[in-house]
Amino acid sequence: MTTDAHKERPSLDGLGSALMSSGALSSDWAPSYAAVPRSAVLPDLMWPFDMEAGRSVAVSRVDDPTRWQEFAESDVPIVTQWDDGKHTGTEPGHVPTSSASMPSVVFRMLQELDLHPGHKALEIGTATTWNALLMAHRAGPGCVTTVEVDRAVATTAMATVERLGIPLHVVHGDGFHGCLEGAPYDRVIATCGLRSIPFAWVEQCRPGGVIVAPWGTNYSHADAVARLVVAPDGQSASGPFTGRVEFMKLRRQRFVHRAHSEYVEGSVADGDESSTTITEAEFVGEQFGPERFAMGVRVPRCSYVVAEKCDGARPVWFYSLSDTSWACVQFRDGKTARVWQRGPRRLWDQVENAFRWWVRRGKPDQTRFGLTVTAKGERVWLDDPADSWAL
């Protein structure tokens, strides 16, 4: 390894060349990409996302080494653990709980991190070790610490590091608390989704240091990468969102939906009825569309579920996370949408107001929003940090 790795001129494989062409892989990260192939850290049995099938599929290096290698060198996410390790067999489990992210996402986030040789860096979420090994190759020996909450995954990661001989400190622990023993860090990066940034990460990152983490709300999975810079006094970190992503959530912050029956004891007709001129097409949008991110930051402590469309009708449900208030809007082709809501929170009123606010502001995407983190909590802003609101 060399701390001048960014000066090398490596030859790239097909995926590397494609990543360079798309802008995901920058020239200064190309030597690390060439030195640490993703295939070197993937397990013999894995579940890559098959774009054609639209689902995760089991692929074995023993049974089909050619297909295994093709997926290892593809820009797709790969599940490496289901159900916190309780899963057995080759068929996909219920919930993916550890994975290798899409290489394009990995390198875009590493570009945001702005890691340089000699920087001390902390990673939260070791998984296969690929992200941490890339960082270690670039930063240099003894510069990178990675924390993994799952004991089995951490043990495998330690064995991988020993096998490859790249100096990387793997810690089994809860990354929510960071890793105080190596602080202060120049850079902190999370490879798991956050619903709030632990202030411990700000405290353990030096003034002027950078924190990169996927962040979102429980409203939906439409998350975005937050790039925060720690203030000179170390009492806050603030910065913009740089692009949309979806990651498995930090285990401490996983969200479990309450049963529908805990909210709606009878039927939707028990709620107060009204209507809205908002249409299905403009409100529902894409799965990870900016409107879902905006609704999450403007209507806190709320989740929503888009039901399947049947006979031209699509119900969309909203559930309060602070009480048992609920709302339902039913979109129907060619007709004005009907609304029902019940409880102390008038959820649809809040959602509709938030949606119209988003439209008035020019339908901003995630990159126009930003986040500020202090010991007292988090504030989100649009365009200007001075114009922010608490979550």
Side-chain angles (χ1 to χ4, degrees):
M1 181 187 298
T2 172
T3 55
D4 292 327
H6 63 296
K7 297 180 181 180
E8 300 171 11
R9 296 179 179 274
S11 59
L12 299 175
D13 59 15
L15 174 60
S17 297
L19 293 174
M20 284 281 286
S21 297
S22 70
L25 177 61
S26 56
S27 58
D28 55 339
W29 277 101
S32 298
Y33 173 88
V36 189
R38 185 164 74 150
S39 59
V41 301
L42 293 173
D44 289 343
L45 176 62
M46 62 187 190
W47 294 266
F49 188 82
D50 188 324
M51 294 297 186
E52 293 184 3
R55 58 185 175 84
S56 296
V57 296
V59 179
S60 168
R61 175 157 42 186
V62 175
D63 297 336
D64 194 342
T66 300
R67 190 166 185 241
W68 186 96
Q69 191 68 31
E70 288 175 351
F71 274 115
E73 297 176 357
S74 298
D75 191 25
V76 297
I78 297 174
V79 176
T80 54
Q81 184 198 67
W82 297 90
D83 306 323
D84 293 334
K86 298 176 183 178
H87 165 263
T88 58
T90 60
E91 290 300 312
H94 298 289
V95 180
T97 49
S98 192
S99 70
S101 300
M102 294 176 65
S104 57
V105 172
V106 168
F107 283 103
R108 288 190 187 280
M109 289 180 62
L110 288 175
Q111 284 192 58
E112 297 292 348
L113 192 64
D114 192 28
L115 181 71
H116 291 276
H119 272 166
K120 290 181 62 179
L122 172 65
E123 179 198 52
I124 309 300
T126 308
T128 65
T129 71
W130 191 45
N131 194 79
L133 289 171
L134 291 167
M135 292 167 60
H137 180 270
R138 180 167 172 76
C143 288
V144 179
T145 298
T146 180
V147 181
E148 172 58 52
V149 69
D150 187 290
R151 182 177 295 278
V153 174
T155 299
T156 299
M158 292 174 188
T160 298
V161 169
E162 183 175 356
R163 170 171 57 83
L164 296 179
I166 298 179
L168 171 67
H169 185 206
V170 180
V171 176
H172 171 235
D174 187 349
F176 178 85
H177 302 294
C179 186
L180 187 58
E181 64 182 271
Y185 301 97
D186 300 290
R187 301 290 186 265
V188 176
I189 186 171
T191 59
C192 51
L194 279 298
R195 291 300 175 248
S196 64
I197 305 292
F199 192 66
W201 299 3
V202 179
E203 294 177 309
Q204 293 173 25
C205 192
R206 66 166 174 82
V210 176
I211 300 172
V212 172
W215 183 96
T217 68
N218 287 322
Y219 183 85
S220 73
H221 293 295
D223 296 351
V225 175
R227 186 185 191 277
L228 312 178
V229 176
V230 179
D233 63 2
Q235 298 304 301
S236 65
S238 186
F241 293 103
T242 62
R244 64 184 187 181
V245 290
E246 182 187 17
F247 274 78
M248 297 173 190
K249 304 305 176 282
L250 184 79
R251 292 196 181 183
R252 181 183 284 258
Q253 295 184 0
R254 284 178 179 171
F255 174 59
V256 179
H257 285 274
R258 292 159 62 182
H260 178 80
S261 59
E262 294 185 35
Y263 290 92
V264 185
E265 297 178 357
S267 71
V268 70
D270 293 334
D272 299 325
E273 185 174 353
S274 60
S275 64
T276 180
T277 57
I278 296 175
T279 66
E280 176 188 351
E282 62 183 341
F283 183 80
V284 174
E286 300 177 359
Q287 184 177 1
F288 302 107
E291 61 279 345
R292 301 193 184 192
F293 182 83
M295 296 305 98
V297 298
R298 294 296 293 183
V299 188
R301 300 178 303 283
C302 174
S303 68
Y304 96 136
V305 175
V306 179
E308 292 294 328
K309 196 164 187 174
C310 182
D311 296 329
R314 185 193 297 279
V316 179
W317 289 89
F318 306 87
Y319 304 98
S320 171
L321 305 182
S322 56
D323 56 29
T324 57
S325 300
W326 59 266
C328 176
V329 55
Q330 180 166 272
F331 297 106
R332 185 177 291 277
D333 293 345
K335 294 185 178 181
T336 300
R338 300 171 68 189
V339 175
W340 298 267
Q341 54 187 332
R342 185 170 184 174
R345 287 186 70 182
R346 312 309 282 174
L347 276 183
W348 174 252
D349 294 346
Q350 294 179 19
V351 170
E352 183 171 32
N353 288 338
F355 182 81
R356 298 195 185 283
W357 171 89
W358 176 71
V359 171
R360 288 195 306 272
R361 294 299 183 100
K363 300 183 179 180
D365 67 10
Q366 289 91 329
T367 61
R368 281 182 56 191
F369 289 89
L371 180 70
T372 298
V373 181
T374 70
K376 295 181 179 179
E378 296 178 327
R379 299 185 69 85
V380 175
W381 38 271
L382 178 69
D383 298 329
D384 183 0
D387 182 18
S388 65
W389 60 91
L391 293 175

